[in-house]
Amino acid sequence: MAFSVRASLEQFTLPHPSGEGQFMISVAAPAVPAIEADVPILYVVDGDMLFGLAAETARAVSSVAGFPAHYVVGIGYDADYAEFLKRRTADLTPPIGADALASLGGIGAAIGGAAGGGADAFLAFLVDTLRPAIAQRYPQTAGGSHILFGHSLGGLFAAHALLTRPDSFTAFIISSPSLWWNDFAILAALPAFKDSLAALPDQPRIFVDVGAREQELPASIPQGLGVTLAEAQAQIRSARMVDAAREFADALRDAGATALHHIAFAHDDHVSAAPAAMLHGMRFALGRDD
């Protein structure tokens, strides 16, 4: 059989936990023969944007033994971009207060911030619905590591999953997390996380990254974004992406996390950090780079 120039793709749908709509689940199998059991799985939220990147990265690096062959599972919506923005916000975020939402101005409206708050239901879907469906379809993954990747609001979700259910995944890749959501309210979960982590027989591996240029203020913004330059600059100032990611990693260490790596990618911004996080985060998650 010839070596494929692109990752494999299988897709199926699952009902959304709200009872309205459905998720499009995309799956890429390893591009090289894998062991018959215990094959790792990378779960990628924002699958509409990031599944292809993750699947091709997995195909490339596993084919040259960069790290172990693994399945890639993307969770998406198969919707147009405007609808995608709103649906992802609904699923990836914890609740937000009225004042915090109002402070987002046009940005909050553009991403559908008022509909946020579904993170707990989405996490339950991943663990209780999607994971059994994957195990049934791909039994060779039984016993394999379960790795969660999220970037931006997806990084916020991955942080939320870690803090509230640290046993839900074997490893968490928390990329450029939007910790600023609801005035950094997610940090209030750290004391309970410390107790939960101490009770676990095995700690999850945790990778926290950010682009080192994410706090640089833009001189212009793309047309059609729905926000002014002043609003965008104000959001970047208040988000403190680089500082907040570092402080979050430090707080996780203080809470007892030992298998943890933090990095600020020197030349990357919020967009370009995602591919770097995919590669280096998976290397760490799979125990290839401590």
Side-chain angles (χ1 to χ4, degrees):
M1 179 181 296
F3 180 69
S4 175
V5 298
R6 57 187 175 186
S8 67
L9 174 63
E10 297 179 357
Q11 292 182 301
F12 62 94
T13 61
L14 288 172
H16 192 279
S18 68
E20 298 182 5
Q22 60 188 14
F23 290 111
M24 175 64 73
I25 308 300
S26 302
V27 182
V32 296
I35 53 179
E36 295 182 356
D38 301 340
V39 183
I41 309 172
L42 172 63
Y43 291 88
V44 180
V45 301
D46 282 334
D48 303 276
M49 294 185 67
L50 297 175
F51 168 77
L53 173 65
E56 289 297 345
T57 300
R59 182 185 71 88
V61 297
S62 62
S63 67
V64 294
F67 42 72
H70 56 279
Y71 278 81
V72 178
V73 176
I75 304 95
Y77 304 99
D78 194 26
D80 64 40
Y81 187 67
E83 180 66 14
F84 157 75
L85 287 179
K86 293 177 172 57
R87 293 181 66 178
R88 73 185 288 265
T89 298
D91 286 329
L92 297 178
T93 61
I96 186 170
D99 290 343
L101 179 60
S103 71
L104 297 180
I107 293 174
I111 65 174
D120 286 334
F122 184 52
L123 179 56
F125 164 81
L126 295 185
V127 174
D128 301 330
T129 301
L130 179 57
R131 187 175 296 173
I134 294 297
Q136 182 178 22
R137 291 168 181 265
Y138 308 98
Q140 58 271 45
T141 63
S145 298
H146 296 273
I147 302 161
L148 177 64
F149 177 91
H151 178 79
S152 193
L153 283 183
L156 171 70
F157 172 76
H160 176 80
L162 169 67
L163 293 179
T164 60
R165 296 182 63 176
D167 60 341
S168 57
F169 289 88
T170 312
F172 298 81
I173 304 174
I174 303 171
S175 180
S176 296
S178 300
L179 301 170
W180 49 264
W181 182 261
N182 197 27
D183 294 332
F184 294 89
I186 189 172
L187 302 181
L190 280 164
F193 166 74
K194 180 177 182 178
D195 294 338
S196 298
L197 191 67
L200 294 180
D202 298 298
Q203 285 199 9
R205 298 180 69 80
I206 307 167
F207 185 91
V208 180
D209 74 87
V210 70
R213 298 181 60 187
E214 293 197 38
Q215 286 182 198
E216 295 181 6
L217 299 182
S220 62
I221 57 173
Q223 292 185 352
L225 192 59
V227 298
T228 67
L229 176 60
E231 285 179 322
Q233 291 178 337
Q235 176 59 26
I236 290 172
R237 289 190 188 95
S238 63
R240 303 176 56 254
M241 293 292 292
V242 179
D243 295 338
R246 182 188 65 251
E247 293 163 4
F248 182 60
D250 289 343
L252 294 175
R253 289 192 187 96
D254 291 343
T258 55
L260 185 149
H261 183 74
H262 167 254
I263 186 170
F265 296 115
H267 303 291
D268 288 297
D269 57 22
H270 190 65
V271 175
S272 63
M278 194 78 70
L279 177 62
H280 296 287
M282 277 300 289
R283 180 178 290 148
F284 180 80
L286 292 167
R288 292 301 182 94
D289 185 1
D290 294 324

